[in-house]
Amino acid sequence: MHYFTRIVNKLNKTLYPEKLFFGPEYIILGVNNVCNLHCKMCDVGTGSTTTNFSKNLIGTRPINMPTELFRKIADQLKMYYPRCKLGYAFTEPLAYPHLSETLNYARDKGIYTSVTTNGLNLVQNVDKLMNGRVSELFLSLDGLQDTHNFIRGNPGSFQKAIGGLEKLFVNRNAPKVSIFFVITQWNYTELIDFAEFFRDYPIKHLGFLQQNFVTQDMANSHNQLYGEYYPATPSNIELTDFREIDIAYLWKSIQKIKEKTFPFSIGFYPELNSEKKLEEYFASPEKPIGHCCNDLFSNLMIKSDGSVIPAHGRCYNVTMGNLNKQTLPEIWNSKMYGRFRKDLVKGGGLLPACTRCCSAF
């Protein structure tokens, strides 16, 4: 983005967030409402049904986004926001029965697409990704074989994901691949070995994410101020006990990885500058890490029924509009979106339930 454009957009976000004079950079698709794994750090995997995260991912019907709705999204994207990217992200895109048809439609429209997956069905979908000319693949893995399989609740999930990667990399024009590892109490001792495992794989990036979550106390504090319009719930915390993480060990592992050289880039999210800050991340979630949610000004998520929520699945379960009744520009600058953005800016960039969301940093 041109420097002048960035300055103008920043002023727009700060001074007049009720109406944006620029469009979204990424549209996130909730193409289906099912998942084929049972991840221990995820509300969907633990069977929670009352949290915002769970409702955003599996609370909508129909289970699969109709192809008619997808075509409407792609047509409007091409018409109004031709530079915007389209991301298949929730709940598990490679279990979406219309994957091939919709990817091909987006390809024919010249739309940049990415797919985020747990990799369980990657082997049988490689040809669909290649034929649909997917530009980027984001693969979520949470440890080496035994650890990953334990966290994901499937004894063969790691092997299947790696088998899919190897099949994908046989193709000369394979999409760029980035792997993301969510740091939890079950895998924090494996960061170094995990990074070394992928040294000989032609991946683009390896990202380590501190677990995202909302505690009951965070939700309570948030709802006292914003519960009328953007109610918060605990999320992705049911089986978690952060006291089981040896912060000193985790901090040393992070530093050792940073000292090494790899053929791919490595990032930590958030990027914390001390062991004390790392401990604060888990022990004091009421303290903000980061300054502002950027995704509210760059992303929107469309569920399988056409309803739109802000940013992506980790955000509040508040409907900004519906593609079956409105256009993308009408929703992007709807009254509800404008109020939310204005409240976020007035609140200092993050609301109380936003402080441990990946969009905060």
Side-chain angles (χ1 to χ4, degrees):
M1 185 185 299
H2 191 274
Y3 175 77
F4 178 75
T5 302
R6 291 200 301 268
I7 295 299
V8 171
N9 289 354
K10 184 176 181 179
L11 290 172
N12 184 183
K13 291 188 288 185
T14 304
L15 301 177
Y16 191 35
E18 302 97 311
K19 180 176 177 58
L20 299 184
F21 296 99
F22 55 90
E25 297 174 13
Y26 235 118
I27 288 181
I28 310 300
L29 296 180
V31 292
N32 60 6
N33 293 298
V34 294
C35 188
N36 46 19
L37 291 178
H38 304 281
C39 307
K40 297 183 182 300
M41 68 293 189
C42 172
D43 290 335
V44 176
T46 60
S48 302
T49 58
T50 59
T51 70
N52 281 341
F53 188 73
S54 177
K55 291 177 181 178
N56 285 341
L57 267 62
I58 61 173
T60 307
R61 295 295 178 271
I63 291 177
N64 296 299
M65 179 180 286
T67 56
E68 295 81 4
L69 174 58
F70 180 90
R71 288 196 292 269
K72 180 180 292 186
I73 295 168
D75 290 347
Q76 291 197 23
L77 193 63
K78 187 67 175 178
M79 180 184 302
Y80 298 114
Y81 307 120
R83 295 183 179 180
C84 184
K85 299 177 181 179
L86 195 61
Y88 291 66
F90 299 113
T91 294
E92 173 43 51
L94 297 192
Y96 179 47
H98 311 304
L99 179 66
S100 182
E101 179 182 351
T102 56
L103 280 176
N104 291 344
Y105 190 85
R107 176 203 62 200
D108 293 343
K109 289 280 182 180
I111 296 173
Y112 185 107
T113 56
S114 67
V115 173
T116 300
T117 178
N118 61 36
L120 189 67
N121 292 345
L122 184 55
V123 170
Q124 55 266 48
N125 283 286
V126 166
D127 291 342
K128 295 177 184 178
L129 300 178
M130 293 301 302
N131 293 336
R133 299 305 308 137
V134 170
S135 296
E136 289 192 88
L137 182 75
F138 304 116
L139 178 61
S140 177
L141 297 173
D142 295 316
L144 298 175
Q145 181 173 309
D146 291 346
T147 301
H148 175 84
N149 292 347
F150 170 75
I151 293 173
R152 298 302 180 99
N154 184 301
S157 57
F158 184 84
Q159 301 93 304
K160 290 181 179 179
I162 297 302
L165 269 188
E166 292 175 348
K167 181 178 179 181
L168 185 72
F169 286 140
V170 170
N171 297 275
R172 178 178 300 177
N173 296 317
K176 293 175 287 187
V177 175
S178 295
I179 295 175
F180 289 92
F181 176 115
V182 177
I183 299 171
T184 66
Q185 67 204 62
W186 303 286
N187 64 13
Y188 73 92
T189 62
E190 283 194 7
L191 274 64
I192 297 172
D193 290 341
F194 187 83
E196 290 292 347
F197 178 88
F198 287 100
R199 183 176 287 280
D200 296 327
Y201 283 82
I203 67 173
K204 173 188 175 185
H205 182 72
L206 174 57
F208 291 100
L209 290 77
Q210 307 294 350
Q211 183 177 338
N212 294 175
F213 60 92
V214 180
T215 65
Q216 185 66 63
D217 287 344
M218 292 166 67
N220 292 342
S221 297
H222 175 96
N223 289 333
Q224 289 178 5
L225 299 172
Y226 301 102
E228 180 179 359
Y229 293 115
Y230 330 111
T233 68
S235 289
N236 302 313
I237 200 79
E238 185 174 352
L239 300 181
T240 296
D241 185 355
F242 295 132
R243 294 171 298 180
E244 295 188 10
I245 297 178
D246 184 334
I247 299 297
Y249 186 100
L250 175 56
W251 177 252
K252 290 178 181 178
S253 296
I254 292 172
Q255 301 314 304
K256 288 181 180 179
I257 289 176
K258 290 181 177 181
E259 292 169 359
K260 291 174 174 283
T261 300
F262 291 91
F264 42 79
S265 62
I266 289 185
F268 289 87
Y269 309 95
E271 181 64 62
L272 302 171
N273 58 16
S274 69
E275 183 178 334
K276 181 180 179 181
K277 277 291 185 182
L278 181 62
E279 183 174 11
E280 184 179 286
Y281 182 92
F282 294 106
S284 304
E286 73 281 359
K287 296 181 180 180
I289 300 290
H291 303 288
C292 180
C293 173
N294 295 308
D295 286 353
L296 188 61
F297 298 90
S298 61
N299 297 359
L300 61 81
M301 177 175 164
I302 305 174
K303 297 184 182 182
S304 64
D305 65 348
S307 60
V308 174
I309 62 171
H312 52 69
R314 296 194 184 280
C315 204
Y316 303 97
N317 185 35
V318 179
T319 301
M320 301 288 114
N322 193 297
L323 259 294
N324 290 309
K325 301 176 182 178
Q326 301 155 281
T327 65
L328 277 173
E330 288 172 340
I331 296 172
W332 182 241
N333 273 312
S334 66
K335 183 177 180 180
M336 188 64 177
Y337 243 137
R339 180 169 57 197
F340 190 8
R341 292 180 181 125
K342 184 177 180 179
D343 286 344
L344 186 78
V345 172
K346 288 175 62 178
L350 295 173
L351 305 185
C354 301
T355 60
R356 294 300 180 267
C357 173
C358 56
S359 296
F361 38 84

